[in-house]
Amino acid sequence: MKLWQKDSGRIDKAIEEFTVGNDYLLDLKIVKFDAIASIAHAKMLKKIGIFNKQELPKLEKALKEIIVLSEKGKFIIKKEDEDCHTAIENYLTKKIGTAGKKIHTARSRNDQVLVAIRLYAKEEISETKKTVLKLIRELKKFCTKFGKIKMPGYTHMQKAMPSSFGLWADSFTESLESDLETLEFAKKTINQNPLGSAAGYGLPFKIDRELTTKLLGFEKTQKNPVFCQNSRGKFESTIIFALVQIMLDLNKLATDLLLFSTAEFGFIKLPKEICTGSSIMPQKNNPDVLELIRAKSAVVEAGLFKTLSIIHSLPSGYNRDFQLAKEPLIESFETTKASINAMAIVIAKIKVNKQKTESALTPEIFAAQKALEIAKKGVPFREAYKKAWQK
Amino acid sequence: MKLWQKDSGRIDKAIEEFTVGNDYLLDLKIVKFDAIASIAHAKMLKKIGIFNKQELPKLEKALKEIIVLSEKGKFIIKKEDEDCHTAIENYLTKKIGTAGKKIHTARSRNDQVLVAIRLYAKEEISETKKTVLKLIRELKKFCTKFGKIKMPGYTHMQKAMPSSFGLWADSFTESLESDLETLEFAKKTINQNPLGSAAGYGLPFKIDRELTTKLLGFEKTQKNPVFCQNSRGKFESTIIFALVQIMLDLNKLATDLLLFSTAEFGFIKLPKEICTGSSIMPQKNNPDVLELIRAKSAVVEAGLFKTLSIIHSLPSGYNRDFQLAKEPLIESFETTKASINAMAIVIAKIKVNKQKTESALTPEIFAAQKALEIAKKGVPFREAYKKAWQK
Amino acid sequence: MKLWQKDSGRIDKAIEEFTVGNDYLLDLKIVKFDAIASIAHAKMLKKIGIFNKQELPKLEKALKEIIVLSEKGKFIIKKEDEDCHTAIENYLTKKIGTAGKKIHTARSRNDQVLVAIRLYAKEEISETKKTVLKLIRELKKFCTKFGKIKMPGYTHMQKAMPSSFGLWADSFTESLESDLETLEFAKKTINQNPLGSAAGYGLPFKIDRELTTKLLGFEKTQKNPVFCQNSRGKFESTIIFALVQIMLDLNKLATDLLLFSTAEFGFIKLPKEICTGSSIMPQKNNPDVLELIRAKSAVVEAGLFKTLSIIHSLPSGYNRDFQLAKEPLIESFETTKASINAMAIVIAKIKVNKQKTESALTPEIFAAQKALEIAKKGVPFREAYKKAWQK
Amino acid sequence: MKLWQKDSGRIDKAIEEFTVGNDYLLDLKIVKFDAIASIAHAKMLKKIGIFNKQELPKLEKALKEIIVLSEKGKFIIKKEDEDCHTAIENYLTKKIGTAGKKIHTARSRNDQVLVAIRLYAKEEISETKKTVLKLIRELKKFCTKFGKIKMPGYTHMQKAMPSSFGLWADSFTESLESDLETLEFAKKTINQNPLGSAAGYGLPFKIDRELTTKLLGFEKTQKNPVFCQNSRGKFESTIIFALVQIMLDLNKLATDLLLFSTAEFGFIKLPKEICTGSSIMPQKNNPDVLELIRAKSAVVEAGLFKTLSIIHSLPSGYNRDFQLAKEPLIESFETTKASINAMAIVIAKIKVNKQKTESALTPEIFAAQKALEIAKKGVPFREAYKKAWQK
């Protein structure tokens, strides 16, 4: 039975199925955070006199059971429950009776889902950061192993000036470090407590929003209740944008490695254990993992696009359209973390073919250096440029 | 065991998991069509002497078993199998031995997946057409019931000229009919047989491509084997674009209905059986179904965007990136069909509030008609315009 | 003075500037087609008695003057005129007096802009087709010159099976021919006359829409006047989608050529006359033209995305948002034509390095052929596969 | 003559035109910042001994002339000059001879364009912030005038709970303040000096990068020269994403106002001076300005999409594709600033219809409050919910 049902069987079955969609499955990722937020909400309700001394511990115990069940993958959300918020209230009411029926006092599913998604996102951002740091460590180990080996630096995909694998790998480290700041900024942006904004228009009596802010570890309380709703989609897009930045780096890293591991370049050797084969060509060792990383940036970019399109031209306040902004957020986190992890394995296992890369440093690659050396001695650069290379 | 594995245990477990992704689940939608194509391929192989009289019937029987199992949802693709193509070959080899090991003669997974997706898409296009026709029928029934009721026609969201519910509903019928032509064109575009292009570079001996073209009901054989591969993503995008056109109509229809069913407009009444409620506001009857239809156009648009991004800047020939183009195709079909079906129910159930819409035809809405009537009598229109309305 | 102004100076200057935007400049591309449509409209008005025998020839003469001026780039649209529709009416009124004030009888700017854009698009589609055909001719000439030269066929960017420059170039020909059908379909879709739909709700008296349909060479009359408006953006997106298909081919062709013309591949030689240099590296011959073609596919894709976003969640009827759908249409045509033309020059001028490509056909590239030959003799393919290549 | 030309007339005219595109026009926005950066570069070159005491003041004087000319719109970049970087070097060489030919010592156009765009973007971010602050001020004035007037708060576009114009307007203020932090973060991200990274692979001798960092007011030096190039597009996207956030707010504000100013809602009155009329319907006062603001969010979103697509799957180092990332950046700034300015005028001029909004507060809107009041007295909320409203 749904939270809003006054009698059962009212709604058309096909419409019900359509509106629920896969939300009850996606919410398996969210339920733990809803339970955490519900504990904080219950404590606040106790403080303002809704719960008594006996009720709070019972509620807390039941909610912690949900957390444990959820972490074990054993908390089930039935399609008829619609979402995790309903499943939790139904669980509580069944387990502890009246106290369960009180938990929804002073909140709406609108702020309940907002706070649960924020807590989920904060944890996922931390997880993503860890995987990025792991990749950075692998890039640094790669530098220790192969950093000093010279290679051509390319512009326009043509040999340009001398470079090295150290310079190349380090450019990704610096880029990923910049991405971590973008991710940190996304966390800061969303790190505000929407709980207490209710349906988006606040409450007719005073509650203690600062208390739940403190209990849930938010940096501040998100004040305006309309903005709490209106920030939906915007905040998700801010997170996904940060993930896009990481994926852009992986996309470029994969593009480089795919090029460097062609037979023609031959700079990089991919060991068999990260390659797959062909169903028809027995000789093949294919870099599928890199191709999929390259393509997965499109998945996260599409997640950003989807989120922006969903909120495009929506009026203020809660609109059910928001429900569809949950999937791209979850999918973007999962895709990004999996891609970084796969890339970290690749970086750990590839080898540089020193002989091949160094022999690629053909004479013309030193022309700019020659021109600059001439210019350093006082010849105007534009003239030195013409002297340095004739063809 | 995978088709390309010469020994087991070679590949890094995490890399394997990453490359397989959810492909083995998505392929549950595809497996039936791969079996159908495999039957045609086997018949062709028999003709060119690869299979003998005894082998073909056994193969056909086993492949038909797969079709039946798949339709019952009982054909299982294990993660270790990677995809349906491998699962099928393994099933055949286990069931009928040597003949199974021969089925991959003169084909690659590259053309195998192409042909299976084409057959899948053709069936899905037919299914989608049926749902569109159902919606058109509902719109026509709506016209019969409410078509003559007058309503304001709007430009710039402001009352402009007199209109009617018939004119309004009929505009969607005409638009959907145009979309059906776009869908038909998409079908025509992809209705060519890629089987026999192998890995993308043909085969070293002659096969009979026209035979499988005929057996599988394709309009023609897709000639150039490199183009067979290079059309991947392009063809998917052509289909998804046609679905986007349908979703744009549903998006507009939903937008109109959401506006017309506000308390302020009050033109349309949504019965309770297609509305949902609020967890906190007991009075609410919410048009969630319409909001979700509105938002789902963003899902299909994002599917188009994802497909285009995946193939952006890929070199010629098969690239593993293509694998990720499968999900947006399947998701776009599922989303579009579900949205059309939901909208058909809505259209069947809504009612027009005649009193409210007709009273909205306030005098200023007739100003242009008045100007035109004056102009009809010989006054230059620009002067008639100034005479017809003074404020 | 604007068509809708009853007194001057009413509107806030900054708001006026904002709403006009760059429309008066974009309309330089449209004005000719508005004049053509206006002649047809005038003939229809004559038929229904609005214009008399004296007025029509005067109108036609003045409108033909506008066409000539526009083709010479001498018809000026002032910012104060807002758009070409106003500029035309003002020009007529100034030149021929009363008859000019009558031209707007039985039409609105809404259908006027629709019909002008359709005529513009039809002409541009023809122009685009011509450039595609030119590129196809160059690809065929390339085949004649270099088609028989062998090269490796790639999958996963790794050498796969033997191919040839003929097979490679021909895949683009076949793809472009498919694109031409998509473009032709786009033309068919939009080839319907919206003139007479007025503001989107028809007219209070009978006009002869079939006459203008015939005079303007449309295939049919677009019936429902609300759909005339609602098709705005949808029809533009259908055209731009066809252009995207062409750009995807150019993107892939450019990607291949950029790869093939690296020093490492060395398959293709770009002559100096299509290369640019570097400001600092005197030795460089850069394939900028190919990089820009590659990137310009993103421009047209963004045009598609913009058009879809603009109409996302708009209610029925004319909304001013539509104005912004004009620029991506014009920009997409210009970008696509320029890119095709540039690519045609490139294809005409590049040379294949036969020695380099043929020496790239190293033994492993024949492994699949070997397996297939073994299979042809009766060995099950999966076993032949294992025999054909050991490493 | 171009910087890289050793002899004239080498390049095919059509290819030249295609590669230059509209860059020479876009660069009119950039030239001032290139001159500023060139002064800093010249001071650094003096420090390391390239320029002598006589040359530096001459250079500085000539570069300041360029700044003044540019601000007056009188610095002309010819198509043959390709871009502002060439135009500047040619101007200097013509004006001051040898010293001009030396200015390119130790830099490439690659880092020259990077630094100029960064300086441009920093100034534009400041300008954008100012316009946002102006809009916030107008919203606050609106609150002072109309903030206390009650209105219905909506969820699902249906009346939900009581709200006020103060709460509504304030939600946009809070959202815009959040956007300003996003904009500030974008500035911080790009606020690093790329000058000295040359073509992307550094220089063969030591220069003083910290000096130009200090002179140009950057927060830090961007270290890795490959990352300097690879950050192109990424940094632009970070800026445009911040602008998208602002446009999303304007899109929602416009959507609300368009709804509130329909005849049916009637909450908001738009004065004639911000409305436009119709060419056929004399009674119309159309909110075009709001429709265009709504649509322009699609323009900036498309700019983001375009930028991401351009850099998708590019290998490391400078690629000419980057050139096309300039236009969406400039267009996004221009569009965003113009839209904010237009919205500020709208907010200053609109009026609330108190009678209409307050009479919209019909009884059902108080149902949730009633339920909550009952719950406050100890009745479990889920029971109170059922008691508060019966229909």
Side-chain angles (χ1 to χ4, degrees), chain B residues 154-156 158-160 259 261 264-265 278-279 282-284 286 291 305 309 312 364 382 385 389, chain D residues 154-156 158-160 259 261 264-265 278-279 282-284 286 288 291 305 309 312 364 382 385 389:
Chain B
Y154 294 81
T155 64
H156 307 263
Q158 299 288 324
K159 292 181 190 181
L259 195 62
S261 60
E264 289 74 10
F265 276 76
S278 155
S279 68
Q283 88 280 12
K284 292 296 293 280
N286 289 327
E291 297 168 271
F305 165 81
S309 286
H312 189 88
E364 75 279 14
R382 197 52 63 212
Y385 172 93
W389 189 259
Chain D
Y154 294 82
T155 64
H156 307 262
Q158 297 290 324
K159 293 182 190 179
L259 195 61
S261 60
E264 290 75 9
F265 276 77
S278 155
S279 68
Q283 86 280 11
K284 292 297 293 281
N286 290 327
D288 300 55
E291 297 168 272
F305 165 80
S309 286
H312 189 87
E364 75 279 13
R382 197 51 63 210
Y385 171 93
W389 189 258

Side-chain angles (χ1 to χ4, degrees), chain A residues 154-156 158-160 259 261 264-265 278-279 282-284 286 291 305 309 312 364 382 385 389, chain C residues 154-156 158-160 259 261 264-265 278-279 282-284 286 288 291 305 309 312 364 382 385 389:
Chain A
Y154 294 82
T155 65
H156 306 264
Q158 298 288 325
K159 293 182 191 180
L259 194 62
S261 60
E264 289 74 12
F265 276 76
S278 154
S279 68
Q283 87 281 11
K284 292 295 294 281
N286 289 326
E291 296 168 273
F305 165 80
S309 284
H312 189 87
E364 75 277 14
R382 196 51 62 213
Y385 172 93
W389 189 259
Chain C
Y154 294 81
T155 64
H156 307 263
Q158 298 288 325
K159 293 183 191 180
L259 195 61
S261 61
E264 289 74 10
F265 276 76
S278 155
S279 68
Q283 87 280 13
K284 291 297 292 280
N286 289 326
D288 300 55
E291 297 168 273
F305 165 80
S309 286
H312 189 88
E364 75 279 15
R382 197 50 63 213
Y385 172 92
W389 189 259

Side-chain angles (χ1 to χ4, degrees), chain A residues 156-374:
Chain A
H156 306 264
M157 296 182 72
Q158 298 288 325
K159 293 182 191 180
M161 288 175 74
S163 181
S164 71
F165 277 95
L167 201 68
W168 173 79
D170 180 56
S171 75
F172 290 99
T173 302
E174 200 169 324
S175 196
L176 288 165
E177 280 163 355
S178 170
D179 300 338
L180 284 179
E181 287 176 38
T182 307
L183 198 57
E184 197 54 48
F185 174 74
K187 188 175 168 188
K188 190 177 170 305
T189 300
I190 68 155
N191 203 355
Q192 38 185 321
N193 182 18
L195 195 60
S197 61
Y201 301 98
L203 292 159
F205 50 80
K206 199 148 171 51
I207 59 167
D208 186 347
R209 294 190 65 193
E210 294 306 323
L211 178 59
T212 54
T213 297
K214 209 182 118 198
L215 289 170
L216 294 169
F218 283 108
E219 257 183 32
K220 64 173 178 179
T221 303
Q222 189 174 13
K223 275 185 295 183
N224 187 293
V226 181
F227 177 50
C228 288
Q229 285 309 317
N230 288 359
S231 60
R232 191 123 181 235
K234 270 174 74 82
F235 281 9
E236 278 82 347
S237 75
T238 302
I239 298 165
I240 301 177
F241 180 75
L243 300 176
V244 164
Q245 291 301 309
I246 297 168
M247 291 308 294
L248 286 171
D249 287 359
L250 297 191
N251 174 278
K252 192 179 286 301
L253 187 43
T255 300
D256 281 355
L257 289 173
L258 283 163
L259 194 62
F260 294 166
S261 60
T262 56
E264 289 74 12
F265 276 76
F267 294 176
I268 290 284
K269 177 127 190 65
L270 306 175
K272 281 198 177 181
E273 65 208 270
I274 58 170
C275 289
T276 48
S278 154
S279 68
I280 182 172
M281 295 167 287
Q283 87 281 11
K284 292 295 294 281
N285 279 312
N286 289 326
D288 300 56
V289 59
L290 290 170
E291 296 168 273
L292 286 165
I293 291 172
R294 175 175 63 184
K296 276 178 193 285
S297 67
V299 173
V300 185
E301 285 169 37
L304 176 61
F305 165 80
K306 193 199 282 188
T307 306
L308 294 175
S309 284
I310 286 170
I311 59 174
H312 189 87
S313 294
L314 288 187
S316 279
Y318 177 83
N319 296 285
R320 182 70 180 262
D321 314 60
F322 290 148
Q323 177 181 321
L324 300 189
K326 220 191 274 176
E327 188 164 15
L329 181 70
I330 294 172
E331 190 185 29
S332 296
F333 274 126
E334 299 288 322
T335 304
T336 305
K337 287 188 304 175
S339 301
I340 302 169
N341 279 325
M343 186 57 98
I345 295 171
V346 171
I347 296 298
K349 294 195 183 267
I350 54 176
K351 289 191 169 55
V352 171
N353 184 334
K354 188 178 174 193
Q355 188 271 328
K356 199 84 190 259
T357 53
E358 296 198 339
S359 69
L361 292 156
T362 39
E364 75 277 14
I365 221 167
F366 300 97
Q369 294 195 345
K370 202 174 147 196
L372 287 159
E373 302 292 357
I374 298 170

Side-chain angles (χ1 to χ4, degrees), chain B residues 120-389:
Chain B
Y120 160 77
K122 281 169 64 180
E123 185 165 296
E124 285 296 310
I125 287 172
S126 298
E127 291 303 310
T128 307
K129 277 184 67 171
K130 280 183 212 160
T131 62
V132 171
L133 289 170
K134 185 168 75 182
L135 176 55
I136 287 175
R137 279 196 303 278
E138 291 301 340
L139 283 163
K140 287 188 172 163
K141 280 190 221 163
F142 176 90
C143 274
T144 310
K145 282 189 278 182
F146 306 112
K148 287 188 181 155
I149 301 176
K150 295 269 179 227
M151 69 184 291
Y154 294 81
T155 64
H156 307 263
M157 296 181 73
Q158 299 288 324
K159 292 181 190 181
M161 288 176 73
S163 182
S164 71
F165 278 95
L167 201 67
W168 172 80
D170 180 55
S171 75
F172 290 99
T173 302
E174 201 169 325
S175 196
L176 288 164
E177 280 163 355
S178 170
D179 300 339
L180 284 179
E181 287 176 37
T182 308
L183 199 55
E184 198 54 48
F185 174 74
K187 189 176 167 187
K188 192 177 167 306
T189 300
I190 67 155
N191 204 355
Q192 39 185 320
N193 182 17
L195 195 59
S197 62
Y201 301 98
L203 292 159
F205 52 79
K206 200 151 170 52
I207 58 166
D208 186 348
R209 294 190 63 193
E210 293 308 321
L211 178 60
T212 55
T213 297
K214 210 182 117 198
L215 289 171
L216 295 169
F218 283 107
E219 259 182 31
K220 63 173 179 179
T221 303
Q222 190 174 12
K223 275 185 294 181
N224 186 294
V226 181
F227 177 50
C228 288
Q229 286 308 317
N230 287 0
S231 61
R232 191 124 181 234
K234 269 173 75 82
F235 281 8
E236 279 82 345
S237 75
T238 302
I239 299 166
I240 301 177
F241 180 75
L243 301 176
V244 164
Q245 291 301 308
I246 297 168
M247 292 307 294
L248 285 171
D249 287 359
L250 297 191
N251 173 278
K252 191 179 287 300
L253 187 42
T255 299
D256 281 356
L257 288 173
L258 284 163
L259 195 62
F260 293 166
S261 60
T262 57
E264 289 74 10
F265 276 76
F267 293 177
I268 291 284
K269 177 126 188 68
L270 307 175
K272 279 199 178 182
E273 65 210 89
I274 58 168
C275 291
T276 48
S278 155
S279 68
I280 183 173
M281 293 168 288
Q283 88 280 12
K284 292 296 293 280
N285 279 311
N286 289 327
D288 300 56
V289 60
L290 291 169
E291 297 168 271
L292 285 166
I293 292 171
R294 175 175 62 185
K296 275 177 194 284
S297 68
V299 173
V300 185
E301 286 169 37
L304 176 60
F305 165 81
K306 193 199 281 188
T307 307
L308 294 175
S309 286
I310 285 169
I311 58 174
H312 189 88
S313 295
L314 287 187
S316 278
Y318 178 83
N319 295 284
R320 182 70 180 263
D321 314 59
F322 290 148
Q323 177 180 320
L324 300 189
K326 221 190 276 176
E327 187 163 15
L329 182 71
I330 295 173
E331 189 184 32
S332 295
F333 274 126
E334 299 289 321
T335 304
T336 304
K337 288 188 303 176
S339 301
I340 302 169
N341 280 325
M343 185 57 97
I345 296 171
V346 170
I347 296 298
K349 295 197 183 264
I350 55 175
K351 288 191 170 56
V352 171
N353 184 335
K354 189 180 173 190
Q355 186 271 328
K356 198 85 192 259
T357 53
E358 296 197 339
S359 69
L361 292 156
T362 40
E364 75 279 14
I365 220 166
F366 301 96
Q369 294 196 344
K370 203 174 148 197
L372 286 160
E373 301 291 358
I374 298 170
K376 191 82 170 81
K377 289 171 197 146
V379 179
F381 178 76
R382 197 52 63 212
E383 284 165 24
Y385 172 93
K386 289 178 186 173
K387 275 184 193 165
W389 189 259

Side-chain angles (χ1 to χ4, degrees), chain A residues 28-169:
Chain A
L28 294 172
K29 296 269 178 197
I30 307 294
V31 64
K32 173 181 143 189
F33 302 98
D34 192 343
I36 292 170
S38 292
I39 292 172
H41 184 62
K43 286 180 180 166
M44 191 279 290
L45 289 181
K46 159 105 190 341
K47 194 180 165 199
I48 66 166
I50 301 295
F51 285 125
N52 59 36
K53 263 190 217 163
Q54 286 73 44
E55 288 169 322
L56 184 60
K58 273 196 269 177
L59 257 169
E60 212 172 333
K61 184 163 168 286
L63 285 162
K64 282 181 177 164
E65 280 166 27
I66 292 174
I67 295 171
V68 171
L69 284 171
S70 152
E71 282 174 341
K72 288 183 183 158
K74 288 189 174 166
F75 186 80
I76 288 154
I77 306 168
K78 283 174 285 180
K79 215 177 207 177
E80 311 89 79
D81 280 344
E82 228 184 353
D83 55 30
C84 69
H85 319 299
T86 307
I88 288 178
E89 188 168 325
N90 287 347
Y91 182 95
L92 294 178
T93 303
K94 202 175 147 195
K95 270 264 166 151
I96 55 170
T98 306
K101 291 187 190 175
K102 283 183 177 176
I103 185 73
H104 210 66
T105 315
R107 80 175 178 191
S108 164
R109 267 192 303 183
N110 291 358
D111 57 339
Q112 197 179 348
V113 65
L114 278 174
V115 72
I117 291 175
R118 300 256 169 105
L119 293 172
Y120 161 76
K122 281 169 64 179
E123 185 165 295
E124 285 296 310
I125 287 173
S126 299
E127 290 303 311
T128 307
K129 277 185 66 171
K130 278 183 212 160
T131 61
V132 171
L133 289 169
K134 185 168 72 183
L135 175 56
I136 288 176
R137 277 196 305 276
E138 291 301 340
L139 284 163
K140 289 190 171 162
K141 278 190 222 163
F142 176 90
C143 275
T144 310
K145 282 189 277 180
F146 306 111
K148 287 186 181 157
I149 300 176
K150 295 271 178 227
M151 69 184 292
Y154 294 82
T155 65
H156 306 264
M157 296 182 72
Q158 298 288 325
K159 293 182 191 180
M161 288 175 74
S163 181
S164 71
F165 277 95
L167 201 68
W168 173 79

Side-chain angles (χ1 to χ4, degrees), chain C residues 67-331:
Chain C
I67 294 171
V68 172
L69 284 170
S70 152
E71 281 173 340
K72 287 184 184 156
K74 288 190 175 166
F75 186 79
I76 287 155
I77 306 168
K78 284 175 286 180
K79 216 178 206 175
E80 311 87 81
D81 280 344
E82 225 184 356
D83 54 32
C84 68
H85 320 298
T86 307
I88 288 178
E89 188 168 327
N90 287 346
Y91 182 95
L92 294 178
T93 303
K94 203 175 149 195
K95 270 266 164 148
I96 56 170
T98 306
K101 291 188 189 172
K102 283 183 176 175
I103 186 71
H104 210 66
T105 315
R107 78 175 180 192
S108 164
R109 267 192 303 183
N110 290 357
D111 58 339
Q112 197 179 349
V113 66
L114 277 174
V115 72
I117 290 175
R118 299 257 169 106
L119 294 172
Y120 160 76
K122 282 170 63 179
E123 185 165 296
E124 285 296 310
I125 288 173
S126 299
E127 291 303 311
T128 307
K129 276 184 67 171
K130 280 183 212 161
T131 61
V132 171
L133 289 170
K134 185 168 74 182
L135 175 56
I136 288 175
R137 278 195 305 277
E138 291 300 341
L139 283 163
K140 287 188 173 164
K141 280 191 222 163
F142 175 89
C143 275
T144 310
K145 283 189 277 181
F146 307 110
K148 287 188 181 155
I149 301 177
K150 295 272 178 227
M151 70 184 291
Y154 294 81
T155 64
H156 307 263
M157 296 181 73
Q158 298 288 325
K159 293 183 191 180
M161 288 175 74
S163 181
S164 72
F165 276 96
L167 201 68
W168 173 79
D170 180 56
S171 75
F172 289 100
T173 303
E174 201 170 324
S175 196
L176 288 164
E177 279 163 355
S178 170
D179 300 338
L180 284 179
E181 287 176 38
T182 307
L183 198 57
E184 198 52 48
F185 174 75
K187 189 175 168 188
K188 191 178 168 305
T189 300
I190 68 155
N191 204 354
Q192 39 186 320
N193 182 17
L195 195 61
S197 62
Y201 302 98
L203 292 158
F205 51 79
K206 197 147 174 56
I207 60 168
D208 187 349
R209 293 191 63 194
E210 294 306 322
L211 179 58
T212 55
T213 297
K214 210 182 118 197
L215 289 170
L216 294 169
F218 283 108
E219 257 182 31
K220 63 173 180 179
T221 303
Q222 190 174 13
K223 276 185 293 182
N224 186 295
V226 181
F227 176 51
C228 288
Q229 286 308 317
N230 288 359
S231 61
R232 192 126 181 234
K234 270 175 74 82
F235 280 9
E236 278 82 346
S237 75
T238 302
I239 299 165
I240 301 177
F241 179 75
L243 302 176
V244 163
Q245 291 301 309
I246 297 168
M247 292 307 294
L248 286 171
D249 287 358
L250 297 191
N251 172 278
K252 191 179 288 300
L253 187 42
T255 300
D256 281 355
L257 289 173
L258 283 162
L259 195 61
F260 294 165
S261 61
T262 57
E264 289 74 10
F265 276 76
F267 293 175
I268 290 284
K269 177 128 189 66
L270 307 174
K272 279 198 177 182
E273 66 209 272
I274 59 169
C275 290
T276 49
S278 155
S279 68
I280 181 174
M281 293 168 287
Q283 87 280 13
K284 291 297 292 280
N285 279 311
N286 289 326
D288 300 55
V289 59
L290 290 170
E291 297 168 273
L292 286 166
I293 292 172
R294 176 175 63 186
K296 275 177 194 284
S297 69
V299 173
V300 185
E301 287 170 37
L304 176 61
F305 165 80
K306 194 200 281 189
T307 306
L308 294 176
S309 286
I310 285 169
I311 59 174
H312 189 88
S313 294
L314 286 187
S316 278
Y318 178 84
N319 297 284
R320 182 70 180 263
D321 314 61
F322 289 148
Q323 177 181 320
L324 300 189
K326 222 190 277 175
E327 188 164 15
L329 182 70
I330 295 172
E331 190 185 30

